[in-house]
Amino acid sequence: MGKKQRKKIVLPPELPPEVSEDEIEVSDEDLQFVNENRDYAGFVSNLDTKSITRHVSRVADVKEDALEFLYEKRLRKKSLEKESEQKGLEVDRVDALPVKTLDGKLVYRTVPKISQHSENVTGGDQDIGDNEADGVDKSLVKLTKPEKRAKLKRMKKEAKKQAKEVENEEVQQTPQAVVLAEVEKELTALEANERKKYKLAELGTALLTDPESNIKSLKEMLQISKDGDHAIAVLGLKSLLAVFKDIIPGYRIRLPTEKEQEMVVSKVVKKMRYYESTLLSTYKGYLQRLIALEQQASFQLVAIRCICTLLDSVPHFNYRESLLAAVIKNISSADDVVRKLCCATVKSLFINEGKHGGEAIVEAVQLIAEHVKVYDCQLHPDSIEVFMSLSFDEDIGRTEMSKADNKFKNKKNKKRKNSEEPSQENDKKKSRKELMSKTRDEVLTPETVNADFKAASLTQDIMERRRMQTETLSAVFQTFFRILKHAMQSIAARSEGISSSSAGASGGHPLLAPCLNGIGKFSHLIDLDFMGDLISYLRKLSGGGSSSDGSSENFLKQLTVSERLRCCIVAFKVMRNNLDALNVDLQDFFVQLYSIILEYRPGRDQGEVLAEALKIMLCDDRQHDMQRAAAFIKRLATFSLCFGSAESMAALVTVKHLLQKNFKCRNLLENDAGGGSVSGPIAKYQPYASDPNLSGALASVLWELNLLSKHYHPTVSTLASTISMLSTAQNQVYHSNVSPQQAFMELSLEHEPFDLKVDIEKPNHKRRRGSGSSVANSSGTNPGITDWTDEDTVRKRLSEHFSLIHDISENKRLRGELDRTTWSLQLYEQYKKQKKTKQNGSKPLKMK
Amino acid sequence: MGKLGKKARKFAKKHLQSVLKNRRKTKVFFKRKSSSKGQQDTVENQVGKTTIPNGRDPEGEDLKNISLDELFTEDDSDVVEDASDSDGFLSEDQEFAKFLASYKKGPEMFQGEEMDSDEDETSNHSMRLVDEDSSIMSQGKVLTHSVINSLCQLIKDEHNKSALKTLLNGYRAACWYGTDSIGVPDNASCQRIQNSGTFCSILMFMLREADNIFRGLLKIPSSSCKKESILELKNTSKWKSLKPLIKSYLRSTLFFLNQVTDSEILAFSLSRLRASIIFFAAFPSLLKRLMKATVHLWVTGEGVLSSYSFLIIQDVAVVFSSECFGICLIKTYKSYISRSKVVDFVHTKHMQFLRNSFIELCSLDVHKSCAKALLSIQQLANILKQGLRKKKESLKKICSWQYANCIDLWVMFISANICDYDLHHVFYVIIQLINGVACLFPGPRYFPLRLKCVQWLNHLSSSSGIFIPVAALVLDVLEYKMGKEGGKPGKAINFSSVLKLPKHWLKSRNFQEECVFSAVEQLSVHFAQWSYHISFPELSTIPLIRLRRFHEIATTESLRRVVKRLIDQVEQNVEFVQKKRDDLAFSPKDHQSVESFLQLEKGSLNAPFTQYYKSVMQKATSRNLDTNGIKSSMECKNLKRKRGRLPSKMLNGGVNR
């Protein structure tokens, strides 16, 4: 208690006037109160830390506390009333210091309780400082140890956070309180800005500490954010973003109907309603402001960033639609940063389904689909790329689905499904796990009623989720097919000779590549009815329109080689995913690939795509068509003679793979006179054939390998030698090969380390040349220099040189002499002058 | 008079530094380098040894600011040396004066090796020097023609040393004639050499005969060019008595080299200096000076002068291979690289000469130069790596003549030596390097660079017999925008003299022609190399397809004709090889038999494709001459105006690729 007294002695001078003022004025939740309260809280936090550390550091205190704690406990048991009082006290104590619950809520402050608490104090006349001290002790009493620790931590954090502001505030607060009105007028614009910044900081912190009681200041912040000054406005937007991100509840606010409003409700509910409506209206205002600002170039980035962050963090909340619309609108923005932001947001929206229950996904996908439609497929590839992060859960309503699907799918289907199950199963498990853990997290926080509800009503939700998923899927595929169709149309337009400007095809097909990737990824979800059309589309596209007449150059410009290759790849992926359900001949795609190989250009086309095509179409192909394999082997070997090491390597790896798989093709490695027994219907090899089956490749010999084994790249040359050594006799076991893609990546120039073995091993001499002889030989480069005969010219030159130099030096000498003479003359003049002055000077002296 | 002059000199030295400096600058010569300090020698030697760790940059990250010619560090602190140069000169003179004094009294007074180190008491010595000099002057005040003639006679007939000494003295005066550098009483030298006749005869006689005289006195056979013969003599008294004379001669000649600008005189003195290169073995500091002077002349000189300088460099590298080879390499490399910053047409020829001679130098010791090559290539590769990461600065650096010439240098070096030495690690890297450069600049504006890359690759391939696919690179050049025909004729373009084309050239017809011709040339080089190989039909498959397509599309008749001819020839050769191949009994895995395939025919060089290739090459050279001819004649005119003499005859001879 002695300590307390000491405290009493120490503290009073600082506090009384302000606090008493506070008590008198602050009975309502108005702005003044907030300001004062901020100050008050800051002050207390400073004081509190001191006292608490003092308490914690001393063992005796703790013991005392414990005793007191026990005593109070007993007391509390005795009287309920008292307990309630103390509870109020406790709450007050806590709220004086910013307390944050796990979900980021700070709600405990109530003003009446403060007054109550002040009344409660026995010495009513006494200064607040005493109160504070008392309060500290009492609150300490109430806290268990972990709580105490947590509180301490919180306070420290808060103190740190506020430290800067508090300093500034404390300096400025007093003058502000006293002469606010006058000073404000006199302030220069800069100071006003500063003030606004402080204000923003104050309001923001207050809101964070206690949103419920300070909810009104949101409006003020919004007002500030509409400031004319750019920096202030940006700051305002940002602080509002931080506040909203923090205080927006985990559920969607439904404003009470008129009927509900008429009903008589308790104070708490009223308060809650007020809070919610204020929050919602400000949020709306904020969003409107953001969306308006997003049009302005100077604010665009900030606005987009705010919108994206909000959409990312509170997708469940009201007005998501407008947020989404704004994001999707900018998803193919020309500005890289903006586009990346939007795409990332949409992606995270797709991935974190649990945050919003999937509705946002449907909306987003539909919006994108609409966007694509409006812009006629002329968008940035990124805008479609986001679909790749979608995940579809096949499990939803599996039972119903399987019932429905049984009509279409035969028994084999199941088998296939089983074979593919493991990977998908894993995915599903993972996603479900994530979902579960997420919901669990939300359950832990008492506020997330919605999630709680969801968890409870999971069974009901299934139908709903399935519906949403179907909608999403249909929108996604609608987009994909639109893009495909668009590409088709432009090709058709070209082939029919319609003017090239039609259908906006001039810019190529930016969306085709991501679209094809998407189809490849989700091909297992495509309705089988579409399959036939899809494949035929792909077939046409992979032909690039050149199948009708291949000579015209314009056609090739329609679709790039990479895009055509992608079409082939996708077709194969689709087929592989639905192999049994479809009865489509993929022969055409092989023909395409066969000719595309010849059209490949290393700089222009993407080698990775080619490698992928080789991998999927040739290496992974399960069919064994010897003719075709031989044709590809031959063509790829030829191909590898013309292009860089990376392409060669990819081709050679494929060749090796094919040779290993089709051991009959190893006849290509043998020079059988007359083609041997296996030669096909075509007796002679046609290197320029466009159909692999008509090339007669089986009749050829892989002589390429000999040249390739002389290749400068050691990897290529060794592989070529290995291939040439594959024997026809034994059927070798498949080695674990590198894929063509891997091979390509490894040898591409970007990965070339350019490392020289620095341990300069002495170059081994194949033939040592005597150094002497080389010198003798080397004079060959210096022609006609045997001996100098032209001495006369040299003599002449020398004399010229001499006369030149002689003249120069003579000139110099003369000039030097001249200089010297003039100099001495000058000297003499000076001497004369000096003499004169001396004489003049001496005369007066003499006179004296 | 003498005293006064000395005082004036002192004054000048103290107060008129800037004037002196200016004078030195206005002389046409590059800064002279003295290396009279023994310490400096050791420093240089160390530098020579430590260049490898210094020049290497294992991280390759902070390469940004390293320019190509800074690879090998070397301490040429010219400023400092310039100052010390005068000192060295002084000391030499004191030494000489001392020597003269001692010579009168007796040989035991001679001070041996210390001569270079006692420079500090300059004022003291200079006084003495002047006195001595004047005394000598009084002895042979004016060297007239007759005096010189008699002296020459004396030396020739009797090997009279005192006469030689007098003559050397005169020679020195002649060499320093007109240069009023500190320490030499110019009026004295002026007085001693009165007319051009004397001047000429002294210089001529000394340059012509000095080597023989010294050799005669030292009894070294004139054919001997081994430094050991000098080093052996080092302790004999005969050497000791002659050493200062020789040194005086060498030093004077070197100084003379720096004074004279006329190429004839330079060439003559260089050729004479070359004869007495072994004497430099005793004077390492002078050797350094010689190196510097000759390297400079090698790079800047023209025609004969350059070749003479190179001969000296080469001789130095051979004779003093242990100490000097590295320095020679570094110096020549650096000056080559710094020279290749600026490019004009005459220059390219000179650069070729420089490159060839540098490679010759490298070939003297492939070990050592291979180490240097590794370093340099590594640096190039590091720059390329940054370029692949699209750093603008390095991209700029890569598309520069310095970079290109550097690659060119090492490509030539490798292809010259790959047959005899195992250079495969360097070989592989440089191919990747060239490929990288070609990939980095795909645009049509960079076609000249790309064609250069192809040229290099072809060169490497043909010299090593290793297969390097270039068809794709060439065909891209061929197929560039063939749809657009009939642009304006435009200016004559020569791809060999540019790396990057200005934009407006891209539309000209000349550009198209140049593209097609160059592509056809390079393709035929590529095909010609493998025209006897068993895989030729396959090798030509894809290029043939693309050539045919080009032939279909192209409308310009002249271009079509050229391409058609290539197609026909290739097809003919394909048939030829295929026919031969059909008769074979062995399989691809039988590498030995494959190797021997068509070797006989290859030897005879009568196959149609070889003939075709030859004709294409001839046309190419004539075409190049055509486009170059215009320029070169222009350049020649300029030169005539400038120099009054046409070195192109020599140059053309000097460049044989």
Side-chain angles (χ1 to χ4, degrees), chain A residues 93-132:
Chain A
R93 270 320 310 151
V94 168
D95 99 77
L97 307 157
V99 175
K100 215 173 176 183
T101 58
L102 284 173
D103 65 324
K105 287 266 139 80
L106 307 157
V107 270
Y108 295 98
R109 163 174 311 254
T110 45
V111 181
K113 273 168 194 165
I114 288 176
S115 54
Q116 207 181 8
H117 149 67
S118 58
E119 281 161 24
N120 220 15
V121 176
T122 43
D125 205 19
Q126 260 187 343
D127 48 319
I128 282 293
D130 195 13
N131 262 345
E132 232 69 83

Side-chain angles (χ1 to χ4, degrees), chain A residues 704 710 752 781 785 806, chain B residues 177 308 360 432 467 535 538:
Chain A
E704 290 95 334
K710 283 187 170 186
E752 175 66 40
T781 40
I785 303 168
H806 183 79
Chain B
Y177 179 77
Y308 269 117
E360 223 168 80
Q432 289 294 68
F467 174 67
S535 322
E538 281 81 14

Side-chain angles (χ1 to χ4, degrees), chain B residues 35-37 88 91-93 95-96 110 112-117 119 168 171-172 176 214 239-255 273 279-280 282-287 289:
Chain B
S35 38
S36 47
K37 286 175 188 168
S91 77
E92 193 274 335
D93 255 2
E95 184 271 317
F96 187 54
F110 190 66
E113 292 300 317
E114 295 165 43
M115 52 186 174
D116 282 333
S117 55
E119 300 167 338
L168 269 175
Y171 177 65
R172 189 181 63 80
W176 256 281
F214 289 133
W239 168 254
K240 276 180 181 160
S241 67
L242 268 176
K243 184 179 174 182
L245 293 178
I246 295 172
K247 188 168 185 185
S248 161
Y249 165 69
L250 294 179
R251 191 186 281 277
S252 302
T253 318
L254 279 180
F255 186 79
L273 205 54
F279 295 117
F280 281 99
F283 313 105
S285 55
L286 285 183
L287 186 62
R289 252 201 228 188

Side-chain angles (χ1 to χ4, degrees), chain A residues 601 634 669 671 703-704 706 710 712-713 752-753 764-766 778 781-782 785 791 797 802 806, chain B residues 177 199 208 262 308 314 360 367 385 420-422 428 432 435 467 535 538 546 581 586-588:
Chain A
R601 306 274 186 283
K634 186 67 183 171
L669 298 172
N671 185 14
W703 292 113
E704 290 95 334
N706 289 111
K710 283 187 170 186
Y712 76 92
H713 205 293
E752 175 66 40
N764 307 319
H765 298 245
K766 293 176 188 165
S778 63
T781 40
N782 299 296
I785 303 168
E791 280 188 24
R797 303 258 153 193
F802 173 81
H806 183 79
Chain B
Y177 179 77
F199 182 77
R208 206 171 344 109
D262 188 274
Y308 269 117
Q314 201 179 29
E360 223 168 80
H367 284 307
K385 254 196 211 165
D420 302 331
Y421 300 92
D422 183 16
Y428 169 70
Q432 289 294 68
N435 271 329
F467 174 67
S535 322
E538 281 81 14
R546 290 170 72 169
R581 217 161 61 167
F586 54 80
S587 297

Side-chain angles (χ1 to χ4, degrees), chain A residues 99 106 126 370 446 498 539 747 835:
Chain A
V99 175
L106 307 157
Q126 260 187 343
E370 193 59 28
I498 299 170
R539 185 178 298 139
L747 264 70
K835 222 177 176 182

Side-chain angles (χ1 to χ4, degrees), chain B residues 128-161:
Chain B
R128 243 166 64 197
L129 159 86
V130 173
D131 292 341
E132 294 291 345
D133 247 6
S134 54
S135 73
I136 297 165
M137 273 192 298
S138 62
Q139 183 187 8
K141 181 116 182 163
V142 178
L143 286 169
T144 59
H145 204 65
S146 55
V147 172
I148 288 165
N149 279 346
S150 62
L151 280 174
C152 295
Q153 212 56 40
L154 265 176
I155 293 163
K156 262 188 186 167
D157 298 344
E158 302 169 23
H159 295 299
N160 187 328
K161 277 189 190 172

